[in-house]
Amino acid sequence: MSYRSFSFLPNINHNSAFSNRFNQIDKIFSTLTGEKPISDTPPYNLIETNEKKYKLILSIPGYKEKELDISVHNNQLVIQGKKEKKHQNNEKINKYLNKDIIFNDFSLSFNFDHKIQVSKANLSLGLLELIFEYQIPDKEKPKKIFINIPNNTQIENK
């Protein structure tokens, strides 16, 4: 299976000091320019369970089912989140002393070489889990070519 994600976030080990620096620089740049931070894309795992079946797990804590939209069209899987803009329990917030939890809208897209069929989508404990099958047409699957050797032309061992 091959896919191409639209994420511009470099592949960084999240345990490294460089990863934290990248996120800090990204936040500073987005504050100065008014652009959405690159690191706002939710982290995900893409797991191959067998040759045809895959599992995609997104970390999206705080999102409800009605705030998510999942679609598949022309070999592209798109997952979008639009957070309702309400304060929890209708509390009035006077002043944040620290604000690290931000519920920004997100969109994550994957382009696949062939069609996929999502068979299951679960949202539990802040993790969205999609189970899908990669559908390769029979004409594009590799085929084993057998070599026929006629009985009368076999090479004899001496």
Side-chain angles (χ1 to χ4, degrees):
M1 180 189 96
S2 68
Y3 74 96
R4 294 172 300 285
S5 174
F6 284 124
S7 176
F8 293 104
L9 186 63
N11 187 11
I12 300 172
N13 181 356
H14 292 287
N15 297 328
S16 72
F18 181 71
S19 171
N20 192 32
R21 293 283 184 240
F22 176 81
N23 290 336
Q24 290 173 352
I25 292 169
D26 185 34
K27 285 180 184 177
I28 291 169
F29 180 75
S30 63
T31 302
L32 293 172
T33 63
E35 293 291 321
K36 181 179 172 185
I38 293 172
S39 59
D40 275 355
T41 304
Y44 64 89
N45 291 340
L46 183 57
I47 304 161
E48 180 180 8
T49 56
N50 67 35
E51 289 180 7
K52 289 185 176 182
K53 292 189 180 181
Y54 299 86
K55 185 187 299 187
L56 177 66
I57 302 172
L58 269 75
S59 176
I60 50 171
Y63 282 85
K64 298 174 189 168
E65 178 184 349
K66 64 183 179 180
E67 298 169 326
L68 300 171
D69 182 48
I70 304 165
S71 62
V72 177
H73 182 68
N74 291 335
N75 304 347
Q76 183 179 32
L77 172 65
V78 179
I79 304 163
Q80 296 177 324
K82 259 189 185 288
K83 192 71 177 152
E84 291 179 352
K85 303 295 181 193
K86 287 190 210 174
H87 296 296
Q88 290 181 346
N89 303 328
N90 295 326
E91 294 177 5
K92 182 181 177 192
I93 298 175
N94 294 327
K95 177 177 151 183
Y96 282 100
L97 299 177
N98 183 51
K99 188 177 179 183
D100 282 339
I101 301 171
I102 300 172
F103 295 110
N104 289 329
D105 295 347
F106 70 88
S107 180
L108 190 60
S109 300
F110 298 89
N111 283 331
F112 295 95
D113 288 341
H114 299 286
K115 291 186 179 188
I116 63 165
Q117 181 176 354
V118 177
S119 60
K120 196 174 193 180
N122 293 322
L123 180 63
S124 176
L125 301 173
L127 297 176
L128 175 64
E129 180 179 274
L130 298 173
I131 300 187
F132 62 92
E133 187 171 332
Y134 201 54
Q135 298 177 329
I136 301 173
D138 287 337
K139 64 181 180 180
E140 294 184 25
K141 289 181 184 177
K143 292 185 176 121
K144 176 77 175 165
I145 306 296
F146 294 98
I147 300 171
N148 291 324
I149 301 175
N151 287 337
N152 60 359
T153 59
Q154 287 183 358
I155 299 174
E156 294 180 21
N157 290 334
K158 292 187 180 181

